[in-house]
Amino acid sequence: MKDARTVIEAPELSPASLPKPGLLSVEDAKALDLPRMTELFKAHLNPGQLHFMKLLGFHKVKVERAEGMHYIDQNGRKILDFFGGFGSLAFGHNHPKLLEARKKFQDEQRHEIAIAFMSQYAAALAHNLAQCSPGDLDMVFLGSSGSEAMEAALKLAERAAGPKRRKFVYAENSFHGKTKGVLAVTDGQLYRADFKLPGENVRVPFGDIDAIEAAFRADPEIGTIVLETVQGGGGIIEAPAEFWRKLRELCDRYGVIWVADEVQCGFGRTGRFYAFEHYGVVPDITALAKSLGGGKTAMAAMIARREIYMKAYGTPKTAMIHAAATFGGMGEASITSIEAINLLYDENLIDNSAETGAYLLERLKTLQAKYPKIIKDVRGKGLMVGLEFQDFSQTLPVVLRPIVGVLDDKLKGSLSGFVGALLLRDHDVLVAFTEYNRNVIRLEPPLICSRADVDTFVDALDRLLGRGIIAIVRDFVKSQVS
């Protein structure tokens, strides 16, 4: 009697029996024109995102190469980069010393993945990060993204706090990543959507020490507070210096672990290696990413106090609970970050961030005084600057304000979008925006930015704002129909 299961014979495998799919080569990819790029983007990436790219005119740009402070497009146009990949390009595009280090690594055919062995490159990078970190922040976990580093930070904090203190405090308008764990402490309905998120966490206003103390006092299950030192997505928002000193004291008093998210504001961005160093305090756990990879690789790190780390993972039984992932501390990624950290100091880029950032703020504040009906606020530290526009109605003649004012909420982000689109189209300057306050233009140029670059940007912005709001709106509308 035959077996009831269907039995088939496997076909003989040979190269002829496995036809190659219709693949594009590297050279094919390089040669794609804008219509074909758009077609593939719509078919395989994110069709909805294309809508916003078209509004801003970004869909008309094919980047052929990038160098220093500039992108170079298909027409040879140089675009000054004041976006900086949300802070990922501290060294600009294709810094020659980073390219040299990576080429040497490749030429010598050194190892990339060494999971079974210790990696000299991961070990050296961890040492360098500990050397750059104040206090006893000296235990390092290496990953590939800010979300991954923050996930590691939250898991470490939860284990160290213990099973009876699993709740987190987080801030209004916070952004810590898009993976499910950190979404639970990210305050954005767009990203949270309708996902079922872990934990019953406590939300407080950013910078409100009284609200934090009240939360600590009311709920003994709170074991961790997680805060960006400077809120990026919130619109480049800082808390006063005394807040951070009081926070450290509160955390010590209540036994709460403080996680400082420095993914965007760290690595020299604000004129110190870490933004929290401006305030003379040290968190229990912190996280870096973005420019840690030198703009050439995906690299992230969690750095923790040894006492906290050992409490969570300090025994052979617990050591592997959150050990390195497959690509954590890959060889070429690690040596890129080693070179990047050295470049920060060898080329005085942290000092340049502080000095050039102060000049940028000075020039923008002068512009604010010139256009007070358009520019509401200028703020930031180092080369992490927010330029906030007035609500749309406030930029119009007085007689029109009551009529348009009812639409201000729906029009939020329109003026920053108009200005960003026209800066790119007419002045070859690229800027960024913020997730929560859409009236804010986010400026995070590479830390190699010079005063001349600042002058180029601010002069372009001055000429654009000098057209007046009506002309700006008219020019933007024309760009959409042309």
Side-chain angles (χ1 to χ4, degrees):
M1 181 177 177
K2 289 187 177 180
D3 194 307
R5 291 174 297 175
T6 301
V7 178
I8 61 170
E9 292 187 10
E12 183 179 348
L13 297 180
S14 68
S17 68
L18 295 174
K20 185 176 181 179
L23 305 179
L24 297 173
S25 68
V26 173
E27 287 304 308
D28 291 335
K30 179 183 176 183
L32 290 176
D33 59 16
L34 282 169
R36 180 64 170 146
M37 289 166 63
T38 301
E39 178 187 332
L40 294 177
F41 193 95
K42 288 174 66 177
H44 304 299
L45 287 171
N46 193 328
Q49 185 181 353
L50 191 61
H51 165 76
F52 298 103
M53 298 178 77
K54 286 182 175 179
L55 279 177
L56 296 167
F58 292 179
H59 69 300
K60 297 178 181 178
V61 176
K62 177 189 176 185
V63 177
E64 293 288 2
R65 61 188 186 89
E67 181 179 353
M69 287 291 297
H70 296 88
Y71 290 103
I72 296 92
D73 77 359
Q74 70 274 24
N75 301 312
R77 176 174 65 144
K78 294 180 72 175
I79 299 169
L80 181 64
D81 186 3
F82 261 64
F83 177 175
F86 294 123
S88 298
L89 291 161
F91 308 96
H93 299 272
N94 289 311
H95 191 292
K97 289 188 177 178
L98 293 172
L99 296 182
E100 181 183 355
R102 290 167 67 84
K103 186 175 186 304
K104 185 175 182 182
F105 184 93
Q106 295 163 12
D107 288 346
E108 294 178 0
Q109 295 187 325
R110 296 184 234 167
H111 66 269
E112 281 287 8
I113 297 174
I115 297 173
F117 309 105
M118 290 182 289
S119 165
Q120 60 268 52
Y121 307 116
L125 175 56
H127 165 82
N128 286 359
L129 287 167
Q131 289 294 303
C132 293
S133 301
D136 56 350
L137 289 169
D138 59 6
M139 298 298 291
V140 177
F141 170 87
L142 298 175
S144 303
S145 71
S147 292
E148 186 181 0
M150 285 302 298
E151 291 278 1
L154 297 191
K155 288 177 70 178
L156 173 63
E158 181 178 327
R159 279 193 57 80
K164 294 182 179 180
R165 304 191 68 181
R166 295 185 185 277
K167 288 186 181 179
F168 292 82
V169 171
Y170 68 99
E172 293 177 359
N173 295 324
S174 59
F175 180 84
H176 298 291
K178 297 177 184 176
T179 50
K180 281 195 72 173
V182 289
L183 264 183
V185 293
T186 289
D187 184 40
Q189 191 53 46
L190 171 67
Y191 302 120
R192 283 175 165 247
D194 55 358
F195 295 112
K196 181 174 174 57
L197 300 177
E200 297 176 5
N201 300 315
V202 180
R203 177 175 172 264
V204 297
F206 182 69
D208 189 334
I209 199 68
D210 293 332
I212 291 170
E213 183 169 14
F216 287 0
R217 190 187 306 117
D219 194 342
E221 291 185 39
I222 291 172
T224 304
I225 183 167
V226 53
L227 299 169
E228 298 158 273
T229 314
V230 180
Q231 288 192 322
I236 315 299
I237 305 297
E238 299 176 75
E242 59 269 21
F243 167 82
W244 299 105
R245 292 190 287 270
K246 290 177 181 177
L247 176 69
R248 180 69 276 176
E249 188 274 327
L250 273 183
C251 288
D252 291 340
R253 191 196 320 165
Y254 286 90
V256 173
I257 294 169
W258 169 23
V259 176
D261 183 342
E262 295 257 338
V263 166
Q264 188 170 151
C265 62
F267 205 71
R269 173 60 47 189
T270 68
R272 295 287 183 91
F273 189 85
Y274 294 105
F276 60 72
E277 292 182 277
H278 289 284
Y279 311 113
V281 291
V282 181
D284 300 299
I285 306 170
T286 190
L288 295 170
K290 298 198 182 289
S291 284
L292 180 58
K296 296 303 299 180
T297 190
M299 174 61 77
M302 176 202 73
I303 308 97
R305 293 175 50 223
R306 173 173 289 271
E307 177 188 354
I308 299 289
Y309 184 90
M310 296 302 287
K311 191 173 182 181
Y313 305 130
T315 69
K317 186 178 179 180
T318 60
M320 301 305 290
I321 290 173
H322 198 82
T326 306
F327 301 115
M330 284 181 67
E332 190 171 332
S334 290
I335 65 100
T336 305
S337 295
I338 291 168
E339 185 69 14
I341 294 173
N342 277 278
L343 281 174
L344 266 184
Y345 293 95
D346 292 344
E347 299 192 355
N348 299 313
L349 295 183
I350 299 177
D351 291 339
N352 186 65
S353 178
E355 294 163 9
T356 305
Y359 180 64
L360 173 60
L361 283 167
E362 176 191 332
R363 286 226 52 197
L364 288 174
K365 286 181 183 295
T366 300
L367 215 58
Q368 181 186 8
K370 186 175 180 180
Y371 302 106
K373 293 181 179 178
I374 301 177
I375 299 176
K376 180 179 181 179
D377 193 24
V378 174
R379 55 182 177 264
K381 265 189 173 63
L383 289 171
M384 187 174 185
V385 173
L387 175 68
E388 183 173 1
F389 291 107
Q390 300 280 7
D391 282 336
F392 198 79
S393 66
Q394 300 304 304
T395 68
L396 300 173
V398 175
V399 68
L400 295 176
R401 290 180 188 176
I403 303 169
V404 180
V406 298
L407 298 173
D408 272 339
D409 190 55
K410 291 185 177 180
L411 291 172
K412 270 195 183 300
S414 56
L415 183 54
S416 59
F418 298 163
V419 169
L422 294 176
L423 277 172
L424 177 62
R425 189 193 74 175
D426 299 340
H427 300 280
D428 304 333
V429 175
L430 179 65
V431 296
F433 309 95
T434 61
E435 287 92 339
Y436 302 133
N437 186 344
R438 290 167 292 158
N439 282 347
V440 177
I441 280 181
R442 179 175 0 191
L443 304 171
E444 295 182 359
L447 305 190
I448 62 172
C449 182
S450 68
R451 285 190 168 216
D453 295 320
V454 169
D455 288 339
T456 297
F457 162 65
V458 177
D459 290 347
L461 182 60
D462 189 7
R463 291 195 299 275
L464 178 55
L465 298 183
R467 298 181 195 175
I469 294 301
I470 302 301
I472 288 172
V473 174
R474 185 189 63 233
D475 290 348
F476 175 80
V477 172
K478 282 183 178 179
S479 74
Q480 296 301 298
V481 297
S482 61

